[in-house]
Every structure is written in structure tokens, then in C-alpha cells.
Amino acid sequence: AQTVTQSQPEMSVQEAETVTLSCTYDTSESDYYLFWYKQPPSRQMILVIRQEAYKQQNATENRFSVNFQKAAKSFSLKISDSQLGDAAMYFCAYEANFNKFYFGSGTKLNVKP
Amino acid sequence: ETGVTQSPTHLIKTRGQQVTLRCSSQSGHNTVSWYQQALGQGPQFIFQYYREEENGRGNFPPRFSGLQFPNYSSELNVNALELDDSALYLCASRLQGRRGPETQYFGPGTRLLVL
């Protein structure tokens, strides 16, 4: 069964500093997709970054980057130069076969000015 | 703004009743998924519709059903409501093409309270 685990319920970071959110997953599939989503207090879920499992290169989107370790089934998100607007719930998610989606339980990120 | 809208924003029902939630997808998106997000938890996948047919389902009983229409709108129906059905219900739409699925775009959700 596919599961996604986020072991950090809450984290804090100082503005302008770097923070890393952890995610592990369990799967028997060889081809799949991994995502990080951000859910601000207004509730609308926004895609932060996406990684295809067949790609060895780690995805990067501006200040957001991932460390994808396929053998370890680990997919962490690094946020550089943290900004106040980064404060939100962050969800790690997994998809295979384009017809089922699994989310982790989320990490609440606080950004301190 | 993601271009995906949901209605209503809030809803209160009593146990045993039936409810219909609505979602309007981005134009051109042929796939819609529905999720249940209990308070303080991550979204749980309910099901996905592709070109008006269900093509994936999570661990939800048959009293959760859906419809997808050609005009890019969709519905989630829940019969015989239970207290545990109280949650935020999210829909997400995307395009599935030859290259595989594109990014999902989420709506703001409908908050359902079952008393």
C-alpha cells in the first residue's frame, strides 16, 4: 500500500533563513510522481514543486528545491531565504498510475520576522 | 486564483441526510478529483473522474458518489451522512493528455458540518 509520512507536525524558521521539511513514502511502483503542496490559511491548495521519479535530477523552483532519494524513498523540501508569505501547511503527496493521489498529514511552517 | 470554484462554501446538515457539493473546473480540464480533508489532517483521495467516468477510487464507501459533466462541472454526492463526514471537501481539476497528467488545480473547498 502506498503511504506518505511527514514526521514533523510543525516547524519554525527565521525570516531569510533556510528550512527543510521531511517526507518519506512507501510504494512498490517504479514510476510515480511526488509533489509538495502549500495550503495557506485561506485554504486553497497550491502546487509548490513536482518531481518525476524517473528523473534523477532534483527539481527546483526559485527558492524551493527538493532532495529526492529514490532508494531511500525520501523526498524533502528545502525553502531558502524564507519569507513571511511562506507560512502555511505544507503537504507532501504521491501519485502513481494517474488515478490515485496520496497526501501526508502535513507540516505547519511558521516564519518568524 | 486557480480557476477552480466550489459551491457552497459552507454547509450544515444533519445525520442521515444527503448532500451535493459542486465544482467548476478550469476550461479544458478533462479530469476532476475529490478529496476529504478532516480538521488538522491531510486530504484523503475519494475518487477521480476522467471524461465523465470514474477511473480511480480511494477507501470510501459507495454512499460517496460523483458525476462529471461535459461543461467542466462536477458533483460529489454523499448519502446517509454520518458525523465523521464533517470535513473540508476539495475538488481538483487537470488535463490528462498524451504526455500524461498535468498539474492539479485545487478549488477553495466546501466546509461540511454534520450535526
Side-chain angles (χ1 to χ4, degrees):
Chain A
Q2 290 88 351
T3 59
V4 178
T5 302
Q6 294 180 247
S7 58
Q8 306 153 315
E10 188 166 358
M11 294 194 70
S12 295
V13 63
Q14 206 71 33
E15 196 175 5
E17 294 192 344
T18 295
V19 65
T20 298
L21 309 184
S22 301
C23 173
T24 58
Y25 59 95
D26 184 28
T27 184
S28 56
E29 302 285 346
S30 59
D31 192 18
Y32 49 88
Y33 293 77
L34 295 165
F35 309 83
W36 278 97
Y37 280 89
K38 170 185 177 181
Q39 189 177 41
S42 65
R43 305 182 309 190
Q44 201 144 3
M45 197 84 73
I46 305 166
L47 178 67
V48 174
I49 199 164
R50 152 182 171 150
Q51 174 82 43
E52 289 84 353
Y54 64 86
K55 290 186 177 178
Q56 294 186 351
Q57 187 173 6
N58 290 323
T60 299
E61 288 287 341
N62 300 314
R63 299 183 293 108
F64 299 87
S65 61
V66 299
N67 183 5
F68 174 46
Q69 301 290 327
K70 191 173 184 178
K73 296 180 182 175
S74 170
F75 182 62
S76 61
L77 174 70
K78 185 171 83 171
I79 306 174
S80 304
D81 186 26
S82 296
Q83 300 175 2
L84 295 177
D86 294 334
M89 285 292 293
Y90 285 81
F91 292 98
C92 177
Y94 161 100
E95 179 183 23
N97 301 320
F98 311 134
N99 65 357
K100 283 191 179 180
F101 221 84
Y102 299 91
F103 280 86
S105 54
T107 296
K108 182 180 180 182
L109 179 66
N110 303 306
V111 181
K112 300 177 180 179
Chain B
E1 288 295 328
T2 63
V4 180
T5 59
Q6 291 186 244
S7 63
T9 56
H10 295 82
L11 199 54
I12 300 175
K13 291 285 189 178
T14 55
R15 195 171 53 181
Q17 284 188 315
Q18 179 266 343
V19 68
T20 297
L21 310 182
R22 293 179 172 83
C23 173
S24 179
S25 303
Q26 277 197 22
S27 178
H29 283 187
N30 54 16
T31 303
V32 65
S33 301
W34 285 89
Y35 298 85
Q36 180 194 66
Q37 186 177 17
L39 199 61
Q41 297 183 20
Q44 299 292 313
F45 175 75
I46 302 175
F47 46 56
Q48 176 174 279
Y49 277 77
Y50 171 65
R51 292 186 173 180
E52 302 166 44
E53 290 193 6
E54 184 180 305
N55 77 333
R57 191 175 185 93
N59 294 324
F60 281 82
R63 60 188 184 84
F64 286 79
S65 63
L67 288 171
Q68 184 187 25
F69 303 102
N71 65 351
Y72 307 115
S73 67
S74 59
E75 292 179 355
L76 165 66
N77 299 288
V78 187
N79 294 322
L81 282 167
E82 301 176 0
L83 298 179
D84 285 349
D85 295 334
S86 296
L88 180 68
Y89 288 85
L90 300 169
C91 76
S93 74
R94 62 179 169 175
L95 174 67
Q96 285 205 34
R98 291 181 182 178
R99 296 182 303 167
E102 302 294 331
T103 299
Q104 282 195 110
Y105 293 91
F106 282 82
T110 293
R111 174 74 66 187
L112 173 65
L113 177 61
V114 182
L115 302 175

